[in-house]
Amino acid sequence: MSEKTAIKGGEFIIRDVKPEDIFTPEEWNEEQEMIAKMCDDFIAQEVEPNLERIDEMEEGLMPSILEKAGELGLLSLSVPEELGGMGVDFKTTLLATERLGTGYSFSVAYGAHTGIGTLPILYYGNQEQKEKYIPKLASGEWKASYCLTEPSAGSDANSGKTKAELTEDGKHYVINGQKMWITNAGFAKVLTVFAKIGDDKNLTAFIVDAESEGISLNPEEKKMGIKGSSTRQVFFNDVKVPVENMLSERGNGFKIALNILNIGRIKLAGAVLGGAKSGIDYSIKYANERQQFGRPISKYGAIRHKIAEQVIKCFVTESATYRAGQNIDDAIQAFIDEGMDKEQATLKGIEQFAPECAILKVAGSEALDYVVDEAVQIYGGMGYSAESPVERAYRDARINRIFEGTNEINRMLTVDLVLKRAMKGELDLMGPAQEVANELMSIPDFGDAPEGVFANEYKALKGFKKTILMVAGSAVQKLMQTLAKEQEVLMNIADLSIDTYMAESVLLRVDKMIANKGEEACKDEIAIVKTYFYDIADKINKSGKDAINAFAGGDEAKMMLMGLKRFTKIDGYNSKEARQQIAQRVIEAGKYNF
Amino acid sequence: MKILVCISKAPDTTTKISFTDGDTKFDESGVKYIVNPYDEWYALVRGLELKEAHGGSVTTVTVGTAEDDATIRKALAIGADDATRINVKPEDASQVAAEIAAYAKEGAYDLVLLGKETIDYNGSQVGGMIAEHLDMPFISLAEKLDVDGTTATLDKEITGGVQTVEAELPLVVSCAKGMAEQRIPNMRGIMAARKKPLNVVEPTNAAKQTSFVKYALPAPKSAVKLIDPNNMDELVELLHNEAKVI
């Protein structure tokens, strides 16, 4: 195994990564560019002209668009060739998800079908199940839904009340219960249903034919956004499911649910990236066209600040998403090299980067929300009109902070996953945390200052990582078993981790770009990195301060706060000028062009 | 039926156009190229439809350097069987036409299809010149093309109506909007594209007959002047004295 593939999930907290070790979106090959263009063309041809009809839920329209996507091969990117799919690597599926992420409700229907709809069977099905279902799901002939959430079991998914009982002849399970917020329910043929057998503690997953007797649907939910996405309640009343339709083993359902959601999280980061880029394009276009006080509003600093900030958040999210995407591909390959089959390896590879998946879900959905919120603001009164494109974007974006695990659950998960790995000895957090603790009590080592255009940022990055180690290490020691209940502190630690991962990703990406193209060609990207670090240092300082003051006191708190000040110190930077420069570039181009 | 489709690249339609070297060179930095839409959507797709209906093959030909390979592979992804690149930088229409004709002569094609123009230089010359070199009939601006045996029937737009013409194969046709619908390459096409032959042949070194001297951008659009609907006199005055149109 090369050193590159040996990078583990969550390890960014303790390990320095080099620019040459990460993948950047500047490195897409010709074939990947062509796939991206195909997705753009598909959205332009099949989705954009039909947005109104989609949102009005015209009968049969969404399934027909999914079928057209199937004809192009877009429903089977993750499916191996022997099951009728394309078998492309993980980051290419992320790229397609990004480009189809501009499709509003279609993008949700697409994500649900190809992700949570298809993947449970692909990754956990036996050969017979795969052969029966996957080719038809891959072509779009059958559509799939994932039935996990219940009225009283949302974030606490394992508490579901849906039951499965074996019939006396042992040939069937009989399912009874109610599922809620089921995407694509209106036209799905194949359902992955999670239910508990008898008094089992854990869920079991079943593949259920949606046309089975005893299944009924509530009317479409009336939602704030993604109005064209079919979302219904599904009722199971004595639904007989053949025993051979059990997915994986009894009691394995919760694990399946978590692993599939985990994939959904990083995919969601891809999708929101597409939405964000399109939101920025609308913002720039409108700001260039709209004249007030005799000039286009894109000439005004207040608007330019917003546009620059939209660009920064989008570029940062993109850097981190594809960095993680490549890490996952490398991990998958490493598992395959160890002799694991492709599906197992894919699951394991993505699971390995579960902390990053959760981080990306949170950061991506919040970046998109910023972009669409400011897009409405840039449109002014027009943005509040249902006739403007950003009004739909604003409403549709909001769900991303809720589904695939709320951002609160994902923040806690980020910390939980990393700490559990530390406890198991898979991730050596305690050693480095102790070093930081020792550093606090010794004379600060000013050491060798790094050199180059990002000297300041690399130094700050080291400090950010020390902040995580100091705060998390001390929180674990102080709060011990009660840490899991101290949600505010967990949120702080999660934010420290998220901000650090994003900062490192954008720094490494641009440093790699500079190595390939030189500083002059990357001056706008350098402005992005410097502005982001300048801002995030204060944010990290605040998260750290809030956490420390919540669980420490007296001299101990004082010492940590002094350390924090040192760790989050960053040189002054004219971020106003930098934002002007970033905005100028996209305003001149009339679109997001990073 | 053996069909040859001429493929040219063109800057993406959202490209900001600028010039360098004292307005004598098109500034290619950061420019993204696409397959010229008239070549792709109409000529290539109609060629593929005819092949699907009558059998045969679709070959593409491009005059260009290795930088054009990405756009050529897009044409292969859409469905062409093979591609040829004549390895020389295109300089003007007569050079391009001479190179393509020299290549086409060897292939005994029944149909040579190309877009009615490229969306960058809009020359519309290459088709006619190829036909002249090959001594074939040339139908320009065709919006419909059907083949029955060795006879082609074509519709072309004329002022205020449509003209239907017939011609015997072999034939050169420049294709306009309406000839076919855009075809999005599918995943199989994209993945097959890298395995399809992209042959590079050396040019005959045909000479160009014209040279670009200078480029200029169109004058920027001036701001809109709003006039009160009750003030017709001002409108007339401005149209007469300022715009000088009445």
Side-chain angles (χ1 to χ4, degrees):
Chain A
M1 217 190 288
S2 77
E3 200 179 343
K4 188 178 161 194
T5 56
I7 292 171
K8 285 196 244 165
E11 217 179 14
F12 70 92
I13 297 171
I14 48 167
R15 181 167 166 173
D16 292 334
V17 178
K18 294 187 183 70
E20 56 269 30
D21 286 343
I22 71 158
F23 173 83
T24 72
E26 285 67 46
E27 297 160 58
W28 294 121
N29 66 29
E30 194 182 294
E31 197 172 277
Q32 288 159 331
E33 297 271 9
M34 229 190 273
I35 293 171
K37 181 71 171 55
M38 165 179 64
C39 296
D40 291 346
D41 287 347
F42 180 79
I43 292 290
Q45 208 171 76
E46 304 294 342
V47 179
E48 280 282 344
N50 295 319
L51 285 176
E52 291 297 326
R53 291 168 58 209
I54 292 173
D55 271 7
E56 283 159 12
M57 302 225 67
E58 188 179 303
E59 183 75 27
L61 181 59
M62 184 69 90
S64 78
I65 300 176
L66 282 168
E67 283 155 25
K68 283 179 187 163
E71 283 166 27
L72 289 180
L74 287 172
L75 301 184
S76 60
L77 297 172
S78 314
V79 175
E81 290 177 60
E82 56 274 21
L83 288 168
M86 303 303 153
V88 302
D89 64 6
F90 186 73
K91 66 179 177 301
T92 309
T93 70
L94 271 181
L95 176 63
T97 307
E98 177 197 323
R99 297 306 185 98
L100 296 171
T102 58
Y104 300 93
S105 292
F106 167 76
S107 134
V108 176
Y110 172 82
H113 174 77
T114 56
I116 55 182
T118 303
L119 299 183
I121 303 176
L122 179 63
Y123 293 145
Y124 290 97
N126 57 37
Q127 198 54 31
E128 268 181 4
Q129 290 168 335
K130 283 198 266 190
E131 282 170 11
K132 180 172 176 190
Y133 293 99
I134 296 296
K136 287 188 167 149
L137 293 174
S139 71
E141 184 182 340
W142 287 350
K143 286 93 190 163
S145 282
Y146 179 82
C147 303
L148 174 65
T149 302
E150 298 184 12
S152 63
S155 296
D156 184 8
N158 206 28
S159 70
K161 293 191 179 73
T162 299
K163 291 280 177 204
E165 300 296 343
L166 194 62
T167 52
E168 275 180 16
D169 61 7
K171 287 182 180 163
H172 290 87
Y173 282 98
V174 175
I175 296 183
N176 278 290
Q178 175 186 3
K179 295 289 175 178
M180 206 176 179
W181 307 122
I182 306 307
T183 304
N184 291 351
F187 48 80
K189 161 81 175 158
V190 182
L191 312 174
T192 300
V193 181
F194 295 87
K196 279 181 185 161
I197 301 172
D199 295 325
D200 283 3
K201 193 171 141 273
N202 281 323
L203 297 165
T204 301
F206 298 90
I207 307 169
V208 180
D209 183 338
E211 286 158 17
S212 307
E213 206 174 312
I215 292 182
S216 55
L217 303 175
N218 256 13
E220 290 289 345
E221 302 285 353
K222 295 196 185 318
K223 305 187 292 294
M224 174 195 284
I226 55 165
K227 288 175 184 287
S229 156
S230 171
T231 317
R232 299 171 76 162
Q233 288 197 43
V234 183
F235 295 87
F236 298 85
N237 189 9
D238 286 336
V239 176
K240 278 174 85 177
V241 180
V243 286
E244 59 268 25
N245 280 27
M246 185 192 284
L247 199 53
S248 180
E249 290 159 20
R250 178 172 177 171
N252 218 12
F254 191 51
K255 195 177 156 206
I256 297 176
L258 291 186
N259 274 334
I260 296 298
L261 285 178
N262 192 24
I263 301 172
R265 286 177 186 133
I266 183 166
K267 287 280 181 73
L268 183 139
V272 295
L273 203 47
K277 285 182 184 174
S278 129
I280 297 173
D281 285 349
Y282 279 124
S283 303
I284 296 166
K285 194 162 174 277
Y286 190 80
N288 277 339
E289 281 168 8
R290 174 71 175 167
Q291 301 250 351
Q292 282 295 280
F293 306 105
R295 308 159 75 199
I297 61 169
S298 62
K299 298 253 188 230
Y300 297 109
I303 300 291
R304 293 166 81 87
H305 177 100
K306 293 180 196 303
I307 292 174
E309 197 56 22
Q310 288 176 319
V311 168
I312 292 168
K313 286 187 192 301
C314 183
F315 186 83
V316 169
T317 305
E318 182 179 58
S319 310
T321 303
Y322 292 113
R323 169 193 180 185
Q326 180 67 56
N327 285 153
I328 288 171
D329 274 328
D330 290 342
I332 294 170
Q333 194 52 50
F335 286 121
I336 291 175
D337 293 346
E338 283 172 18
M340 216 178 266
D341 73 50
K342 174 94 189 287
E343 280 76 47
Q344 270 300 311
T346 304
L347 266 180
K348 282 270 176 204
I350 299 171
E351 196 185 349
Q352 174 60 250
F353 286 89
E356 283 79 359
C357 293
I359 284 174
L360 286 164
K361 193 274 172 179
V362 173
S365 59
E366 290 177 3
L368 174 65
D369 254 7
Y370 177 87
V371 168
V372 295
D373 184 66
E374 292 292 18
V376 169
Q377 198 65 19
I378 290 166
Y379 267 66
M382 256 330 275
Y384 205 67
S385 159
E387 283 174 19
S388 83
V390 294
E391 185 258 3
R392 177 186 281 115
Y394 180 81
R395 285 185 291 100
D396 283 7
R398 191 60 182 81
I399 188 63
N400 289 295
R401 281 165 52 202
I402 300 169
F403 61 16
E404 307 283 351
T406 64
N407 283 14
E408 292 66 34
I409 287 287
N410 272 292
R411 279 189 161 88
M412 288 191 281
L413 190 66
T414 302
V415 182
D416 185 55
L417 285 165
V418 169
L419 290 184
K420 274 201 182 120
R421 287 175 190 199
M423 305 286 182
K424 278 196 231 162
E426 291 170 12
L427 204 60
D428 179 22
L429 282 189
M430 293 312 155
Q434 193 54 50
E435 276 172 37
V436 176
N438 294 343
E439 190 184 327
L440 289 180
M441 286 182 285
S442 55
I443 300 159
D445 170 20
F446 293 101
D448 297 336
E451 289 173 0
V453 59
F454 288 138
N456 192 25
E457 286 69 25
Y458 275 112
K459 187 165 152 264
L461 182 65
K462 274 197 191 313
F464 298 165
K465 293 185 179 187
K466 283 180 185 171
T467 304
I468 304 174
L469 290 165
M470 174 178 74
V471 174
S474 166
V476 168
Q477 271 185 351
K478 290 226 85 92
L479 302 169
M480 303 291 280
Q481 257 53 19
T482 60
L483 176 59
K485 293 196 187 103
E486 296 284 345
Q487 294 197 342
E488 296 94 328
V489 174
L490 290 174
M491 296 287 147
N492 291 145
I493 298 173
D495 283 343
L496 293 175
S497 311
I498 293 167
D499 293 336
T500 301
Y501 187 69
M502 305 309 279
E504 181 176 64
S505 300
V506 72
L507 173 62
L508 293 174
R509 173 182 180 181
V510 176
D511 210 7
K512 191 174 190 182
M513 287 176 78
I514 293 172
N516 292 329
K517 296 202 280 189
E519 253 178 69
E520 181 51 31
C522 303
K523 59 183 183 8
D524 300 331
E525 288 83 358
I526 293 172
I528 290 180
V529 172
K530 289 194 171 281
T531 307
Y532 192 74
F533 268 77
Y534 176 72
D535 283 350
I536 219 73
D538 279 352
K539 188 164 171 256
I540 287 177
N541 181 283
K542 171 81 170 127
S543 304
K545 209 155 63 179
D546 287 352
I548 292 165
N549 285 324
F551 66 74
D555 283 349
E556 192 189 11
K558 219 167 146 188
M559 188 174 66
M560 278 199 279
L561 290 170
M562 272 169 63
L564 179 69
K565 201 173 164 192
R566 208 161 66 231
F567 296 153
T568 55
K569 190 174 168 292
I570 193 142
D571 290 351
Y573 181 64
N574 188 344
S575 63
K576 178 232 163 198
E577 271 312 311
R579 281 201 178 81
Q580 280 281 346
Q581 179 192 329
I582 295 161
Q584 182 56 31
R585 162 151 160 186
V586 292
I587 286 166
E588 209 170 277
K591 62 182 178 189
Y592 180 88
N593 66 343
F594 278 92
Chain B
M1 190 166 14
K2 277 188 82 177
I3 301 168
L4 182 69
V5 180
C6 308
I7 296 286
S8 173
K9 68 173 180 185
D12 182 276
T13 46
T14 59
T15 308
K16 289 265 172 199
I17 304 295
S18 59
F19 307 111
T20 57
D21 295 10
D23 288 345
T24 59
K25 279 207 177 102
F26 170 50
D27 183 4
E28 287 191 279
S29 60
V31 172
K32 274 201 168 166
Y33 283 98
I34 56 171
V35 180
N36 174 43
Y38 287 105
D39 296 340
E40 177 191 326
W41 298 0
Y42 308 126
L44 175 60
V45 176
R46 187 60 193 146
L48 293 170
E49 287 170 353
L50 289 172
K51 177 196 144 181
E52 283 152 13
H54 301 284
S57 63
V58 173
T59 298
T60 71
V61 61
T62 301
V63 176
T65 58
E67 287 168 15
D68 293 13
D69 285 354
T71 49
I72 296 172
R73 264 193 286 274
K74 168 88 185 282
L76 290 171
I78 293 170
D81 298 294
D82 57 354
T84 295
R85 179 167 60 77
I86 301 168
N87 193 21
V88 61
K89 196 173 165 14
E91 301 279 356
D92 78 345
S94 69
Q95 173 228 8
V96 169
E99 291 292 352
I100 290 177
Y103 171 78
K105 232 173 226 162
E106 306 297 315
Y109 293 97
D110 300 298
L111 264 176
V112 178
L113 303 178
L114 72 171
K116 73 171 171 111
E117 62 191 344
T118 50
I119 58 165
D120 46 7
Y121 292 101
N122 309 88
S124 293
Q125 302 177 64
V126 174
M129 290 178 177
I130 294 173
E132 180 62 23
H133 282 296
L134 297 177
D135 196 20
M136 287 184 192
F138 173 55
I139 311 292
S140 64
L141 305 169
E143 51 184 35
K144 196 162 178 273
L145 161 64
D146 283 306
V147 177
D148 185 7
T150 58
T151 308
T153 311
L154 303 101
D155 282 358
K156 54 178 294 181
E157 200 181 315
I158 54 171
T159 309
V162 175
Q163 182 189 33
T164 302
V165 289
E166 233 178 52
E168 285 300 301
L169 302 182
L171 179 71
V172 180
V173 180
S174 87
C175 306
K177 193 179 169 188
M179 177 75 90
E181 294 277 333
Q182 181 189 2
R183 204 179 262 196
I184 301 174
N186 61 31
M187 277 301 297
R188 294 215 181 281
I190 290 172
M191 292 168 84
R194 68 180 150 184
K195 294 182 198 129
K196 288 182 179 173
L198 197 173
N199 309 307
V200 180
V201 300
E202 288 311 309
T204 61
N205 293 323
K208 63 174 180 178
Q209 295 182 349
T210 54
S211 305
F212 290 124
V213 178
K214 207 172 164 105
Y215 294 102
L217 287 173
K221 281 186 203 155
S222 52
V224 173
K225 212 170 254 183
L226 291 175
I227 295 153
D228 191 302
N230 296 322
N231 200 349
M232 279 302 126
D233 291 346
E234 190 189 347
L235 176 66
V236 172
E237 201 268 334
L238 284 171
L239 288 173
H240 184 63
N241 292 327
E242 200 170 297
K244 298 191 175 30
V245 290
I246 54 171

